[in-house]
Every structure is written in structure tokens, then in C-alpha cells.
């Protein structure tokens, strides 16, 4: 049913028009009336201020006191450009009608209004309004799907941001901008992380693993919906920990920023308890400033979560001093020792970091331990292409490190895990090149959107570029460049099949700096342009 506002200074004329036809049968309802342009404009402004729907159609006389139809139309074009207008005019109103047409009014009715003409006009307008709503609905659906795609890619990026070794700082900043996270580029940014874990009471699901999966899916959906309603809250998910969700919370300056994290976590916990009837454990990390410190914020969050009960817990300490202890240089040396298979050097670096002579609190020790475990996990993921058992061991240690009875026991556990990571790297290097090539392939599969080159991969995996080139072709059957292109094209084809994203967005998301370069590469690979490929897909479907 389309809403109509009827405007004429003569009440009798309005009554006559209302009585001419069965408005409801024609698909319309008289939702408002006004006696002049000023009154009509005030009604529209009142509806707008109350967030009530505006009329779909205004039928207005031209000659009225206080504000005539022409002035009303002029104001409507300025304030409500999408509003449809029909002018009522007499035979003597030619100059008024001329002015109305110049303002863009296309439809009019002559007084006295003839029933057949009114029905014909309303039929035409109803079809135009139906088509307009259909286009708007399709546009909103497209925007929703595009938004969903971007959110999924954003989640994948945030997980990589906190768990993986970055390709480069500049590439990471560029990727953040591409995914609508330009706010992360600002080193003045203040943010904190939250982690929430759902806990299913014993006996609630019986033996039904499928029901567990459904409940976990409902938990993730609820977490995302709650985050969507909050400004500056970005959820992300780690498939290895299906009962948990993580959140990056960007904090504005001032009192509102100080409370945003706590307020969001409280709301989320209430929602999980209310709608899913589940207990949940939440941890809220310390605020950190700048993109380069986000991993510290994530480690602080994990520390908070590991010490939590079903109540919200903060990290109960400050990470400012520990950030200096676990500096980028310290991180670089640890990674270098592992990847060079230097177990003695690694132990020496760990000994400096966890010096028994240092007067560190339990919080400080646990935070540094978590940062080391995150580093070990990122290196293991980079080189370990087979059994994920090592990742599970590292995660289990992350979740329990805060409860170890002594620092000595915790340190012993960390050193043993560090040795396992060194051994995993050693096995990969000693595989005759097979596992190294697989590790490079896996890295490309996960990071194809960056500007990867053979030389950068050789440097990353500590290989001679010529050696890697021959090795990769031998194992993969194609050159590194061809494999990267094929990977990008496969992902581009998947995005095109979804029919939602613009070609410029797809080009950017699969690693091309311009849509023309992307189109050229796509046509060379598939024999047709991206647009033609998408058009053919949907015309045949």
C-alpha cells in the first residue's frame, strides 16, 4: 500500500478527490492532508523528525495561501528529492503549470478531477513505485552481500594480523585500507581486544555433535550481530577454536572510549545468556596504541581470558613496560634463531627475555610468555604444512600458561615447544625441497592479495632465489609467477560467481593495483573479460 498526502486549501475539494475512487483497491491510502504548502512541509518535517515513513506520493494544488504549490515543490525538490509529486491545476493555471514542469514535475490532474483519469494516473504511478522499490530492494540486497563478503575478508585479515608473521608493515597497512580498516593505519589509534568463549553445560546436548555445531554457529552469528550494532567493533573467528569469538575494539578519545570495551562485552555476555542460555567466559585486553602494537593487545586479551571465570575479567596489569622488553628487535632475533635452526641461540634469547634475576611480576611473566607462544605459532604455521598437532600443543599452552604452578615449569614447557618448532622447520628444510615448496605454496594460497614476488619469498624462507625458482617449478609443475596468477584468478572467479562485488573491488581483493591490469590478466587466463564472464554466468543461470 502506497501512502498519499493530499494538499488543497479547499476541504471540499479534498473530500471530493477522496470519494472519487476506492483508493485501497488502487493500492493507495490517504495518509495525511494539508491545506497549504507550509502546512504540508511542516508535516513532512515532523514525520522525518520522528523517523516515520514519508508519503510515497503528494497530490498538491497550485494556488494556495501562505505557501503555494510552486514554492512547496521547490522546497520538496531541495529537501526530499525522491518524493513523487502530482499537481492539481485548472485551465487558467498555465503559467503555474509551466513553472511546475520546469521544476521537474511530470504528472498532473486537471480540475475538476475525472475518475477515469485519476485511476489511470494512479495505475501508472503504482507500477513506477513498484519498480522503484524492487530496484531499491535489489540494491540493498547487493549491498548486504557485498558487505558480507567484505566482513568475511576483514575477519580473515584480523586473524592474520594477530597470529601470523606480517608480509611487511607497509603491505599490512595497505591491506587494512583496502578492507575498509583505514583507521588501523593511524599510529595514534587506540584499541583493545576482547575474547568470548561459550560453555555448553554438561548433558545439554547429549551425544549430538551436530547439535554442538549448530549451537556454535548460533553463537558466532549472535556475536557478529551484537558487534554490528556497535560502532568501532570488528569481530573475527579462528576455525581452530570453534567455541570462541574475538573482537578488535577501536576506542575513541574521551570517557566514551574508556567504557566502550566493557560496555560491549557486558552486552554480548547478556545476549549469549539470554538468547542461547549459555554461560560464557570473556577476557578484555589492555588498550594499545598503533598498528605495530596490536599483537601485544591480543596477547593481553588472551591473558585476561585465560584467567577469567564467567565474569568479565581485565588483564589485571599493564603491558607498557613489557612492550619494551618484547621489542620488534627481540621478536626479530627470536624468529631468526628459529628459522636458522639455532637452538642454542634461541635458548639464549629466551634466557635474556625471562631472566631469573629480573624482578618481574606474574602478570609480566605470563604476558611475555604469551607473546613468545604467539611468535612460535606463527613460525610453525609458516613452515608446518602437514599435521597440525604442533599448533594444538601451542594453543593448549597459551590457554593454560597463566595457571602453571611455577615459572620454572612454565619456562620448561615453552623451551620444549620452541625446540619442537625448530625441529618442524628443520624437517621442512631437510625434505629435499618438497615441504619447502609446499610451504611457499601454502603461503601464496593465504596471502595472494599482497604483492608477492619470487625474491620476497626467497628472502622470507631463507632460500636462494634461483634455487627456489627451480624447486617450485619442479614441485608445483608451474613457475612461481604462473602459480600466483592462477591462485588469484581462481579466487577472482569465485568472487565473480557471487555476483556482488564491483570489478574494481575484486581486482583490489585479489592483489591487482588497477582494474585494467586485472582485466588484462583475467582475459589472458580465461579467454574473456571479467565483465563478459560474469554476464555469461548470470545469463545462463
Amino acid at each position: 500500500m502506497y501512502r498519499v498526502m493530499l494538499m488543497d486549501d479547499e476541504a471540499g475539494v479534498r473530500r471530493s478527490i477522496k470519494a472519487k475512487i476506492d483508493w485501497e483497491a488502487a493500492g493507495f491510502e490517504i495518509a495525511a492532508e494539508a491545506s497549504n504548502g507550509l502546512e504540508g512541509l511542516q508535516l513532512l518535517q515532523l514525520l522525518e523528525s520522528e523517523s516515520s515513513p514519508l508519503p510515497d506520493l503528494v497530490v498538491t494544488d497550485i494556488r494556495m495561501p501562505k505557501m503555494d504549490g510552486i514554492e512547496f515543490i521547490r522546497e520538496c525538490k531541495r529537501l526530499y528529492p525522491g518524493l513523487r509529486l502530482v499537481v492539481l491545476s485548472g485551465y487558467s493555471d498555465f503559467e503555474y503549470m509551466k513553472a511546475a514542469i520546469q521544476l521537474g514535475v511530470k504528472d498532473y490532474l486537471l480540475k475538476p478531477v475525472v475518475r477515469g483519469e485519476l485511476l489511470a494516473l494512479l495505475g501508472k504511478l503504482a507500477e513506477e513505485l513498484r519498480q522503484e522499490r524492487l530496484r531499491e530492494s535489489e540494491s540493498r540486497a547487493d549491498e548486504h552481500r557485498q558487505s558480507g563478503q567484505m566482513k568475511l575478508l576483514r575477519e580473515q585479515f584480523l586473524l592474520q594480523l594477530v597470529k601470523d608473521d606480517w608480509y611487511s608493515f607497509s603491505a599490512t597497512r595497505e591491506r587494512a585500507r583496502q578492507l575498509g580498516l583505514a583507521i588501523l593505519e593511524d599510529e595514534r589509534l587506540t584499541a583493545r581486544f576482547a575474547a568470548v568463549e561459550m560453555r555448553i553445560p554438561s548433558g545439554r546436548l547429549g551425544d549430538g555433535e551436530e547439535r554442538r555445531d549448530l549451537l556454535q554457529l548460533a553463537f558466532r552469528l549472535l556475536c557478529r550481530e551484537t558487534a554490528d550494532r556497535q560502532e568501532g567493533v570488528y569481530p573475527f573467528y579462528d576455525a581452530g577454536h570453534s567455541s570462541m569469538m574475538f573482537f578488535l575494539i577501536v576506542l575513541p578519545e574521551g570517557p566514551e572510549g574508556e567504557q566502550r570495551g566493557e560496555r560491549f562485552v557486558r552486552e554480548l555476555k547478556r545476549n549469549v545468556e539470554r538468547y542461547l542460555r549459555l554461560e560464557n567466559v570473556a577476557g578484555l585486553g589492555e588498550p594499545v596504541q598503533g598498528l605495530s602494537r596490536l599483537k601485544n593487545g591480543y596477547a593481553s586479551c588472551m591473558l585476561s581470558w585465560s584467567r577469567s571465570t564467567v565474569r568479565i575479567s581485565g588483564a589485571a596489569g599493564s603491558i607498557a613496560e613489557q612492550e619494551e622488553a618484547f621489542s620488534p628487535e627481540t621478536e626479530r632475533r627470536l624468529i631468526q634463531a628459529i628459522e636458522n635452526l639455532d637452538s642454542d641461540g634461541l635458548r639464549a634469547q629466551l634466557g635474556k627475555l625471562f631472566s631469573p634475576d629480573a624482578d618481574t611480576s606474574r602478570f609480566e611473566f605470563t604476558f611475555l610468555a604469551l607473546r613468545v607462544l604467539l611468535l612460535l605459532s606463527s613460525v610453525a604455521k609458516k613452515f608446518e604444512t602437514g599435521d597440525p598437532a604442533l599448533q594444538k600443543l601451542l594453543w593448549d599452552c597459551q590457554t593454560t600458561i597463566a595457571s602453571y604452578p611455577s615459572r620454572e615449569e612454565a619456562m620448561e614447557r615453552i623451551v620444549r615447544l620452541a625446540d619442537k618448532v625448530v625441529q618442524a622447520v628443520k624437517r621442512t628444510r631437510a625434505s629435499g625441497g618438497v615441504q619447502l615448496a609446499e610451504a611457499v605454496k601454502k603461503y601464496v594460497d593465504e596471502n595472494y592479495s599482497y604483492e608477492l614476488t619470487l625474491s620476497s619469498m626467497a628472502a622470507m624462507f631463507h632460500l636462494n632465489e634461483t634455487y627456489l625458482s627451480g624447486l617450485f617449478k619442479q614441485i608445483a609443475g608451474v613457475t612461481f609467477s604462473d602459480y600466483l596468477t592462477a591462485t588469484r584468478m581462481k579466487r577472482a572467479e569465485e568472487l565473480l560467481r557471487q555476483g556482488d562485488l564491483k570489478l574494481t573491488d575484486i581486482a583490489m581483493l585479489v592483489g591487482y593495483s588497477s582494474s585494467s591490469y586485472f582485466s588484462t590478466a583475467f582475459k589472458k587466463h580465461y579467454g574473456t573479460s571479467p565483465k563478459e564472464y560474469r554476464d555469461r554466468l548470470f545469463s545462463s543461470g
Side-chain angles (χ1 to χ4, degrees):
M1 196 69 67
Y2 301 114
R3 297 162 54 85
V4 179
M5 184 167 80
L6 192 56
M7 193 159 62
D8 195 293
D9 59 320
E10 297 183 34
V13 172
R14 298 200 301 271
R15 284 196 299 270
S16 173
I17 293 174
K18 287 192 291 183
K20 288 282 182 185
I21 62 168
D22 184 344
W23 286 82
E24 186 173 340
F28 292 84
E29 63 172 331
I30 306 296
E33 294 183 47
S35 60
N36 58 68
L38 182 60
E39 185 179 330
L41 201 60
Q42 290 170 344
L43 272 172
L44 293 175
Q45 291 169 339
L46 177 62
L47 290 170
E48 184 179 38
S49 68
E50 294 176 346
S51 299
S52 299
L54 295 176
D56 300 291
L57 176 67
V58 175
V59 180
T60 177
D61 191 15
I62 282 191
R63 297 196 185 195
M64 295 179 293
K66 297 186 179 179
M67 179 186 286
D68 65 20
I70 298 302
E71 185 60 27
F72 173 79
I73 292 168
R74 187 176 287 112
E75 285 299 295
C76 279
K77 289 295 181 182
R78 183 175 68 86
L79 299 172
Y80 311 105
L83 194 60
R84 288 181 176 268
L85 298 158
V86 174
V87 171
L88 290 171
S89 69
Y91 286 102
S92 61
D93 295 333
F94 175 76
E95 289 302 322
Y96 284 102
M97 276 304 302
K98 183 179 176 182
I101 291 169
Q102 288 174 343
L103 287 170
V105 174
K106 297 178 182 178
D107 300 301
Y108 66 93
L109 288 166
L110 288 174
K111 291 182 178 181
V113 174
V114 177
R115 180 177 183 276
E117 292 178 356
L118 177 58
L119 279 171
L121 178 58
L122 291 177
K124 178 179 84 77
L125 291 173
E127 177 59 21
E128 290 177 0
L129 287 165
R130 188 185 71 81
Q131 291 292 337
E132 185 178 288
R133 286 191 177 181
L134 181 62
R135 287 192 297 271
E136 289 175 354
S137 176
E138 290 173 347
S139 176
R140 283 195 299 271
D142 285 345
E143 287 177 5
H144 180 72
R145 286 191 292 267
Q146 289 183 34
S147 174
Q149 274 294 314
M150 291 300 285
K151 286 177 180 176
L152 178 61
L153 292 167
R154 202 175 287 152
E155 286 197 24
Q156 294 169 351
F157 171 73
L158 289 173
L159 182 63
Q160 286 184 313
L161 200 63
V162 297
K163 297 200 72 175
D164 293 353
D165 191 14
W166 296 359
Y167 179 65
S168 76
F169 189 76
S170 60
T172 300
R173 292 180 62 184
E174 173 64 23
R175 186 62 173 168
R177 186 186 312 120
Q178 291 172 347
L179 293 173
L181 293 169
I183 191 171
L184 299 186
E185 295 183 274
D186 189 349
E187 280 300 308
R188 296 170 299 176
L189 158 85
T190 302
R192 64 196 308 189
F193 287 89
V196 179
E197 177 195 15
M198 58 172 267
R199 294 198 172 170
I200 303 174
S202 176
R204 168 139 176 209
L205 300 179
D207 297 327
E209 193 60 34
E210 183 178 344
R211 292 180 62 196
R212 178 182 296 275
D213 292 343
L214 288 173
L215 196 55
Q216 289 171 339
L217 176 60
F219 169 71
R220 294 195 292 273
L221 289 173
L222 181 60
C223 286
R224 290 178 175 121
E225 287 175 3
T226 305
D228 283 345
R229 291 195 294 268
Q230 298 279 343
E231 184 180 358
V233 179
Y234 302 96
F236 60 101
Y237 169 62
D238 186 344
H241 316 298
S242 53
S243 294
M244 295 186 71
M245 280 292 289
F246 305 90
F247 306 88
L248 171 66
I249 305 170
V250 176
L251 307 179
E253 295 181 0
E256 198 279 330
E258 295 173 7
Q259 299 300 319
R260 177 176 285 181
E262 288 87 348
R263 189 169 58 247
F264 168 72
V265 173
R266 279 196 296 270
E267 180 184 350
L268 179 57
K269 285 178 66 65
R270 282 197 303 268
N271 287 346
V272 173
E273 291 162 3
R274 177 182 177 186
Y275 296 111
L276 302 180
R277 293 181 290 114
L278 291 174
E279 287 189 343
N280 52 93
V281 173
L284 193 59
E286 287 288 298
V288 292
Q289 191 168 51
L291 181 65
S292 60
R293 294 184 174 88
L294 287 186
K295 285 188 178 182
N296 291 336
Y298 177 75
S300 169
C301 163
M302 293 304 298
L303 174 56
S304 169
W305 166 78
S306 69
R307 304 168 80 180
S308 295
T309 63
V310 293
R311 302 181 184 278
I312 300 175
S313 173
S318 172
I319 63 173
E321 294 181 6
Q322 287 63 60
E323 287 184 326
E324 184 175 343
F326 199 88
S327 65
E329 179 61 21
T330 299
E331 188 170 14
R332 186 190 67 78
R333 288 175 179 172
L334 287 169
I335 292 173
Q336 190 175 53
I338 296 169
E339 296 188 354
N340 289 337
L341 310 180
D342 183 4
S343 296
D344 291 338
L346 177 59
R347 287 171 180 262
Q349 289 294 329
L350 291 174
K352 289 180 183 178
L353 190 62
F354 298 101
S355 172
D357 299 328
D359 184 20
T360 56
S361 68
R362 185 173 183 84
F363 166 80
E364 294 166 343
F365 175 86
T366 310
F367 170 79
L368 293 174
L370 277 168
R371 283 297 277 117
V372 170
L373 289 167
L374 284 171
L375 180 149
L376 294 175
S377 180
S378 70
V379 176
K381 181 184 175 185
K382 178 175 158 185
F383 283 91
E384 188 183 30
T385 58
D387 186 2
L390 181 53
Q391 286 291 340
K392 185 177 186 308
L393 288 174
L394 288 162
W395 171 257
D396 289 344
C397 189
Q398 287 178 47
T399 61
T400 57
I401 194 70
S403 61
Y404 272 59
S406 70
R407 296 185 187 188
E408 291 74 21
E409 188 175 343
M411 269 304 302
E412 183 181 347
R413 178 67 170 155
I414 291 170
V415 170
R416 285 204 306 270
L417 286 170
D419 285 340
K420 286 182 179 294
V421 173
V422 171
Q423 291 305 311
V425 175
K426 186 175 183 179
R427 283 193 301 272
T428 299
R429 291 194 183 285
S431 65
V434 175
Q435 288 187 23
L436 264 177
E438 288 297 331
V440 174
K441 279 177 61 180
K442 177 166 160 278
Y443 190 90
V444 172
D445 292 341
E446 294 178 355
N447 297 276
Y448 57 84
S449 60
Y450 294 111
E451 193 175 339
L452 305 181
T453 63
L454 184 66
S455 60
S456 67
M457 290 295 94
M460 179 171 287
F461 286 87
H462 309 287
L463 297 169
N464 175 275
E465 185 177 341
T466 303
Y467 172 72
L468 176 58
S469 177
L471 175 65
F472 193 92
K473 187 170 183 179
Q474 177 187 344
I475 301 302
V478 293
T479 65
F480 173 83
S481 177
D482 287 345
Y483 184 82
L484 174 60
T485 298
T487 302
R488 288 171 167 171
M489 292 299 104
K490 180 182 177 182
R491 181 56 177 148
E493 194 263 351
E494 291 171 355
L495 293 172
L496 285 168
R497 282 185 176 278
Q498 293 165 10
D500 307 325
L501 294 172
K502 298 175 183 176
L503 295 181
T504 51
D505 291 334
I506 293 175
M508 171 266 294
L509 292 172
V510 299
Y512 288 92
S513 57
S514 73
S515 56
S516 59
Y517 183 25
F518 164 63
S519 293
T520 300
F522 191 92
K523 188 167 186 176
K524 183 178 180 182
H525 190 81
Y526 284 105
T528 183
S529 72
K531 183 180 184 305
E532 292 168 342
Y533 188 90
R534 174 183 272 170
D535 290 345
R536 190 165 66 243
L537 276 175
F538 288 95
S539 62
S540 62

